[in-house]
Amino acid sequence: MLYKEFCKQFNISLNEQQAQAVQHTEGAVLLLAVPGSGKTTALVARLGYMLYCVGVAPERILTMTYTVSAAGDMKSRFAAMFGDEYAARLQFRTINGVCASIINRYVRDKGADGFNLLDDNRKLLTEIYRKLRADYPVDGEVKELQKQITYIKNMRLTRQEIDALDLSGADVGPIYDKYIDEMKRRRLMDYDDQLVYAYNILKSRPDILNSYRRRFPYLCVDEAQDTSKIQHRIIHLLAGKDGNLFMVGDEDQSIYGFRAAYPDALMHFERDYSNSTVLLLEENFRSTPEIVLAADRFITRNTMRHKKHMRAFRPSGAPVRKVTLTSRAAQYSYIAKMAQGEPERELAVLYRNNDSAVPLIDFLDRNDISYCIRQTDGVFFTNRTVSGIRDLMMLALSPLDAEAFMRVYYKLNLPISRADAEKAVEQCRAGKCASLFAALKPTGKNPNRIVEKLFELRAHFAALKTDSAAHALRRMRYQMGYGAYLMKNGGDDERLYLLSLLASREKNIESFLKRLNALKSIFEAGGDRKSHLILSTIHSSKGLEYDRVAIIDAIDGILPSVMLKPGQALDKDEQAAFEEERRLFYVAATRAKNELLLMSYEKAPECTFIRQFCEPLTPNATGKRDKKMVPPASPAPEMAQRIQWMAKDYIKGANVMHNVFGRGMIAEKGEDTVTIHFATGTVKRFILSACLEKGLLGLQR
């Protein structure tokens, strides 16, 4: 069957770049697909083309994806396009699933008992942490340990690199070594071990490797930018240097470095595979030209990427809006008004991590505004900083709470040993003291200073019970020594700030503790799944799209996570980390279909990424604007209604930015005209609807 007949029979419509990718079936092919470019459509159509036009048997094609749900979705899309019969014969697997089959084959050959798969290693890691550090880890530390173990195995770290890792100021190496020993002793393996074992099997058993190569001479790999170093090595072994490999990804969307994603493999593709070809999908079908143009300019600042340019398919829409608010706290009411103003329109609020959602959810819940939370983890409530605040408040309300006391006594700048603390607990259990801090006996070289310190602490704990929640938080941080303890251990200003926002809405510490418990339950419940107001981390939004997107808490120190000084030079590792931060912002922005709002705050440092994203078009050498940088004007039928809605914000006195004339202010507003006084002194009169349709005019908030 010829390609045109194939497309006609199955009602497939592809652009030129997609068509080229579908028809390139031999050799090693890397398809770099920008956001919203229809990569899955191209991949699925290519599978159909291989079956119907090239004559490849479906059993000879192995398609590997990043997650089980992605594999299921791809199989469903293939079935919808080409039918269930071929879909049932094709292999859609995760890389871990393929590795499990390799291990099973090896175990059968040896006739030995295999290792059992450990689905959840949190309990084992908690046990090991307690034994080695004589302390209970909080949930956040256990999750961080899981990430670091995954990173070690997937990145194939050396001993020296492992020893350089730390968790809360302590070495990870000993915990990792004990974990490996315990897993072997109990004959267990985790999901990362599956990769390591399968890789070693393929390297040491050429018969098994060759059997997989014969069985699957055609390999397809989706989301290659999220694939780890060891996964890429497994793929390279299965494909062979001269094999038929179709790899789809985009290094510009690689945001899982903490999970050992290895986008470098995409940069080295032509080196690693002979007879290789790199193809591009550059047309974005999702977003308006205003979003696409700004996002493309923004991501080209990265150096570790292939040369490509995203272009828009859709007609012009609303300009990207930078919304400058008085403070971070002001963003919550702004978001609420947006959601309530158009309740049937989808609005996704995206942020760096789930901590940002806590005060927002608190505000929405208090104002009875429905929302949906995607993939929450609740780590905020069990973080060491937050747990310490809770323990101090609980001790103020219950002076004999021994568990809270043992978790927090050493965080108050007291030179008291653990043995002394345990004696105080025994004294109180015997009914000899009214509070645990009263039971502490001063020891050491300067007992009088300790007596004085204990007297001060007892006074502070008494005052906490009558303080407002906000005042109590300040007392603990600045007067009781807890803030100094945090500073010695890396500080945590961000979570303390978020706690202060919550505390400002509570009367006292008792109501504050109740609210924290309530918020934890609310957070875990996930909200109303039918709500059009969606709250999500940027990572959880990957692969999704929304009508409107608002990016919050984009502040230097949060996103990006580092605060760069003017002219600061970065070493290679720092540059790589900063470029992933930029990719994270890029992924967030390109989730938006019709509107993108970037929240900035007067009382916070200007966000490097927002400034770069919103930079106006620059004149070329002739002093004229580059026509290629101006979004195409091809209005859609529904455009008039959208323009009418947008025009309401263009009132007398509003600050605006014109693509040609720069900054200005609306001096007069007619029915469909605006007179603008520009900063240059020029006065111009425009037809407002035409300017909005062509994307020439935007508001400056």
Side-chain angles (χ1 to χ4, degrees), residues 351 354 357-381 390 502 505-506 511-529 533 535:
Y351 34 80
N354 275 308
V358 176
L360 173 57
I361 290 169
D362 181 54
F363 182 90
L364 296 173
D365 181 69
R366 290 173 185 273
N367 289 276
D368 199 27
I369 299 170
S370 70
Y371 54 87
C372 171
I373 321 169
R374 296 198 73 251
Q375 298 184 6
T376 59
D377 57 22
V379 169
F380 175 85
F381 301 97
R390 293 168 68 113
L502 299 176
R505 301 166 187 165
E506 294 299 334
S511 66
F512 182 71
L513 286 171
K514 288 180 180 178
R515 187 58 183 169
L516 282 180
N517 291 332
L519 280 173
K520 187 173 185 291
S521 299
I522 291 168
F523 208 81
E524 291 169 348
D528 179 6
R529 297 299 174 188
L533 176 58
L535 315 181

Side-chain angles (χ1 to χ4, degrees), residues 497-635:
Y497 170 78
L498 297 176
L499 282 170
S500 71
L501 291 181
L502 299 176
S504 67
R505 301 166 187 165
E506 294 299 334
K507 182 179 179 182
N508 52 42
I509 62 172
E510 188 172 7
S511 66
F512 182 71
L513 286 171
K514 288 180 180 178
R515 187 58 183 169
L516 282 180
N517 291 332
L519 280 173
K520 187 173 185 291
S521 299
I522 291 168
F523 208 81
E524 291 169 348
D528 179 6
R529 297 299 174 188
K530 296 180 181 179
S531 176
H532 288 95
L533 176 58
I534 299 119
L535 315 181
S536 174
T537 63
I538 299 171
H539 287 97
S540 295
S541 73
K542 179 80 163 28
L544 302 176
E545 58 183 35
Y546 303 100
D547 180 12
R548 297 180 291 172
V549 166
I551 301 176
I552 66 170
D553 288 357
I555 304 169
D556 284 7
I558 301 176
L559 179 62
S561 60
V562 295
M563 298 183 70
L564 291 181
K565 298 176 182 177
Q568 179 180 345
L570 302 177
D571 63 29
K572 183 179 178 182
D573 291 339
E574 290 171 335
Q575 180 68 23
F578 193 75
E579 291 203 358
E580 177 161 328
E581 298 281 296
R582 187 178 279 113
R583 295 195 293 266
L584 188 63
F585 194 92
Y586 172 76
V587 166
T590 53
R591 300 311 94 195
K593 293 191 290 186
N594 296 313
E595 288 184 48
L596 175 62
L597 289 85
L598 310 177
M599 301 285 195
S600 63
Y601 320 102
E602 293 175 359
K603 296 180 181 179
E606 182 184 26
C607 174
T608 299
F609 288 166
I610 291 181
R611 174 175 52 78
Q612 292 177 351
F613 200 92
C614 295
E615 281 181 351
L617 304 181
T618 54
N620 59 27
T622 64
K624 296 181 179 179
R625 304 249 167 199
D626 188 343
K627 292 182 180 179
K628 294 179 181 177
M629 300 294 281
V630 180
S634 47

Side-chain angles (χ1 to χ4, degrees), residues 125 128 132-133 145 148-149 152 157-167 169-181:
L125 285 173
I128 293 170
L132 294 182
R133 298 193 182 176
L145 269 174
Q148 297 212 26
I149 288 171
I152 289 169
L157 295 190
T158 63
R159 184 72 239 177
Q160 185 178 3
E161 290 170 329
I162 294 171
D163 291 339
L165 299 175
D166 70 78
L167 178 74
D171 293 340
V172 169
I175 295 179
Y176 175 75
D177 294 338
K178 183 66 175 175
Y179 175 74
I180 296 300
D181 290 343

Side-chain angles (χ1 to χ4, degrees), residues 25-82:
T25 60
E26 301 299 315
V29 179
L30 173 61
L31 180 63
L32 297 171
V34 305
S37 59
K39 70 174 180 65
T40 305
T41 298
L43 199 158
V44 170
R46 183 179 181 275
L47 290 173
Y49 178 82
M50 291 171 70
L51 302 182
Y52 287 95
C53 300
V54 182
V56 178
E59 291 81 7
R60 294 170 66 78
I61 304 172
L62 173 61
T63 301
M64 290 181 280
T65 64
Y66 193 63
T67 64
V68 174
S69 61
D73 178 63
M74 194 172 297
K75 184 175 182 178
S76 298
R77 291 184 67 168
F78 180 91
M81 192 176 292
F82 300 108

Side-chain angles (χ1 to χ4, degrees), residues 113-273:
D113 293 331
F115 283 28
N116 293 317
L117 182 65
L118 181 64
D119 288 325
D120 189 346
N121 60 5
R122 285 178 297 181
K123 184 177 179 181
L124 177 58
L125 285 173
T126 301
E127 291 175 9
I128 293 170
Y129 186 103
R130 285 186 58 197
K131 288 178 182 177
L132 294 182
R133 298 193 182 176
D135 193 9
Y136 283 92
V138 296
D139 287 351
E141 288 173 327
V142 175
K143 289 183 179 181
E144 184 60 29
L145 269 174
Q146 288 176 308
K147 288 179 185 177
Q148 297 212 26
I149 288 171
T150 290
Y151 190 82
I152 289 169
K153 294 178 181 180
N154 278 265
M155 290 298 288
R156 309 284 286 168
L157 295 190
T158 63
R159 184 72 239 177
Q160 185 178 3
E161 290 170 329
I162 294 171
D163 291 339
L165 299 175
D166 70 78
L167 178 74
S168 300
D171 293 340
V172 169
I175 295 179
Y176 175 75
D177 294 338
K178 183 66 175 175
Y179 175 74
I180 296 300
D181 290 343
E182 282 297 310
M183 292 288 283
K184 289 180 178 177
R185 187 180 69 80
R186 303 182 191 192
R187 296 194 65 78
L188 295 171
M189 66 177 174
D190 57 29
Y191 285 106
D192 302 307
D193 287 327
Q194 281 186 327
L195 303 172
V196 176
Y197 294 166
Y199 175 74
N200 291 335
I201 290 168
L202 293 176
K203 289 283 287 183
S204 62
R205 289 286 301 272
D207 57 322
I208 293 179
L209 173 59
N210 289 329
S211 70
Y212 273 86
R213 285 180 176 176
R214 287 192 299 269
R215 182 182 175 187
F216 300 115
Y218 292 91
L219 298 182
C220 300
V221 179
D222 192 22
E223 300 290 2
Q225 76 280 344
D226 298 332
T227 305
S228 70
K229 179 183 284 188
I230 193 170
Q231 288 171 336
H232 274 291
R233 289 184 177 180
I234 291 167
I235 292 165
H236 190 271
L237 285 172
L238 291 173
K241 194 171 179 65
D242 303 313
N244 299 309
L245 171 65
F246 185 68
M247 186 173 282
V248 185
D250 180 13
E251 75 281 354
D252 288 338
Q253 297 182 73
S254 182
I255 59 173
Y256 290 105
F258 64 91
R259 291 206 304 227
Y262 190 62
D264 296 39
L266 277 63
M267 303 302 296
H268 303 150
F269 187 83
E270 292 168 286
R271 180 198 68 187
D272 294 338
Y273 295 94

